[in-house]
Amino acid sequence: DPKAHAEILFEVAKKFGVEEEKIILIKDTYDTHDEAKKISTLLNRKKFALVTSAYHMPRAMALFKQQKAKAIAAPAEFLLKRKNLDSWR
């Protein structure tokens, strides 16, 4: 993509009315591990909401925990497919 995911979300947040001064844009991260390292350093052990897909949350929380971050899980993008409800049978 020509634009980083973080930059796209930065623009979305502004369109939803979040003041630009209240947004911290972290550039040069290539994966969740990089994000965990940079965010943990930036927040210096302060509590924060970690928003990611429900599917990705366990992995993300584990990576942030490794960095001693005080992340509070805030999962999004729940997806349930009816046809999979009986798959355990």
Side-chain angles (χ1 to χ4, degrees), residues 80-88:
L80 178 66
K81 295 180 181 177
R82 285 244 178 249
K83 65 181 179 181
N84 290 340
L85 288 176
D86 295 326
S87 64
W88 60 273

Side-chain angles (χ1 to χ4, degrees), residues 23-39:
I23 303 171
I24 300 170
L25 178 60
I26 300 174
K27 296 182 180 182
D28 302 322
T29 57
Y30 301 100
D31 56 26
T32 308
H33 182 260
D34 283 348
E35 291 172 346
K37 287 171 48 177
K38 290 185 180 188
I39 291 170

Side-chain angles (χ1 to χ4, degrees), residues 8-23:
I8 293 168
L9 294 178
F10 176 81
E11 295 299 325
V12 170
K14 289 191 319 184
K15 286 181 181 178
F16 275 105
V18 178
E19 297 172 20
E20 191 169 331
E21 304 80 41
K22 293 185 178 184
I23 303 171

Side-chain angles (χ1 to χ4, degrees), residues 60-76:
M61 287 296 289
L63 290 168
F64 276 84
K65 187 176 182 179
Q66 286 176 357
Q67 299 301 319
K68 310 252 187 290
K70 293 187 177 181
I72 299 168

